[in-house]
Amino acid sequence: MKILCVLYDDPKDGMPKDYPLSKLPKINKYPDGQTLPSAKSIDFTPGELLGCVSGELGLRKFLEDGGHEFVVTNSKDGQDCEADKHIIDSDIVISQPFFPYYLTRDKIEKAKKLKLAITAGIGSDHVDLQAAIDNKIDVVEVTYCNSRSVAEHIVMMIVSMVRDYHSQYKIVCDGGWNIADAVQRSYDVEGMHIGTVAAGRIGLDALRKMKPFDVHLHYFDRHKLPDAVEKELNLTFHESVESMVKVCDVITINCPLHPETENLFDAEMIGKMKKGAYIVNTARGKICNREAIADALKSGQLSGYAGDVWFPQPAPNDHVWRTMPHHGMTPHTSGTSLTAQARYAEGVREILECFFDGTPIRDEYLIVKDGDLAGAGAHSYSKGTATGGSDEAAKYKKG
Ligand code: NDP
């Protein structure tokens, strides 16, 4: 079989010769009891870079020993990209949300042999799910592999944005000491009202992690959490996003991107937020309207916006979120810490082993199966596509 794998660039100075930590902490299972990825074996050292081209998700030996052709590329956007040349006769495509290979309907329809699209991570919105359904291409992701990694990033972003860490760090790097400059936008998080849009694996973990800050916690989701969890965290449930944003100082967005959530935070929704609130979006860039966010930061309707997700990715060099005031953006990194990479690389290997052996892929990994939403996809997504406009990714030029 031919397997196409689209990965992000290697470090500018080449692969690291050593790493800060020699060993990763051991985790036995996820909080809800789900087991960690469990491939029969792995050919990589956990804690090393796996998500870039030379890291190859640690898959080359396994795939070539199995007689498969394995193509790895970072050329994924624009008319002459390598990925488009190979997708035509590939059986399986692997891509990471951090550097997504946008599998639009056009590409899916040209990929006559394609059977399986694997997301090395979580969030398969870079695949036109409706086209995958129509063309009977299965879509799977490594559910839970980096959910808690993202929750950590959310806590980091809420605290650093409310306290205005970025400006203070910059003052030090610039050789300054003006304390008044450093604190004129700096607050404590304690006592604030924090709300999550979606309380799935990430949203709930972010609530749990914020609880010790002595804040008031709110959530909106399509399904209510069990009473015991609401009680444990003293949660306020809201029937609508609008009702929650009216009362919260910080909103964290943790739902998948699908037709129901695309552009959810437009000028109208942001206008309903408490004046001067903050947004942390580590879900998907397209859930927030690009211009509306920048405008709200300029007007003061929002005090800050942070996150690691953009649309498209890589974000064009002139994407307004790179330069808007009071932002705390990172590239799409929260789910690809070295710790998370080890989990999703093993998860991809587990999925491939199942696929080649003809054994079922875990239900919780399924997004689309046999022409319909399935598993985690049936629970969390709606049919349709959110890939429109992804060709803009070709505008990004490496510095
Ligand atoms: P889960 O499937 O555990 O949680 C998703 C939650 O979103 C579910 O509770 C689901 O509700 C809810 N949801 C779906 N649609 C809506 C809607 N219209 N309104 C409100 N809630 C909705 O996934 P995770 O928590 O693990 O991940 C969530 C998303 O975070 C991913 O889909 C991905 O986009 C993003 N992500 C980002 C990463 C990064 O590196 N920045 C890494 C990993 C994920 P219900 O099931 O109750 O219907």
Side-chain angles (χ1 to χ4, degrees), residues 161-195:
M161 195 165 48
V162 171
R163 299 198 64 86
D164 204 23
Y165 166 77
H166 307 86
S167 313
Q168 298 170 15
Y169 178 72
K170 190 167 183 306
I171 286 171
V172 170
C173 294
D174 292 347
W177 194 262
N178 190 311
I179 306 277
D181 273 345
V183 298
Q184 63 181 319
R185 298 182 64 85
S186 181
Y187 298 96
D188 292 355
V189 175
E190 184 181 357
M192 285 190 162
H193 289 256
I194 316 270

Side-chain angles (χ1 to χ4, degrees), residues 1 36 77 79 92 99 108 115 133 143 145 204 209 216 219 223 270 317 322 324 339 353 376 378 383 392 394:
M1 288 203 185
L36 293 166
D77 297 305
Q79 286 202 326
I92 300 173
F99 191 71
I108 286 179
K115 297 161 192 62
I133 289 169
T143 299
C145 65
L204 178 57
K209 285 176 159 61
H216 306 277
Y219 79 102
H223 300 98
I270 295 168
N317 308 68
R322 292 181 186 271
M324 63 192 179
T339 326
E353 286 173 355
K383 290 184 184 176
E392 197 195 352

Side-chain angles (χ1 to χ4, degrees), residues 64 71 111 161 360:
E64 290 188 347
V71 176
M161 195 165 48

Side-chain angles (χ1 to χ4, degrees), residues 195-197 218-220 238 240-248:
T196 176
V197 178
H218 303 249
Y219 79 102
F220 164 76
H238 292 264
S240 67
V241 183
E242 286 83 352
S243 138
M244 185 172 72
V245 299
K246 268 186 207 157
V247 296
C248 282

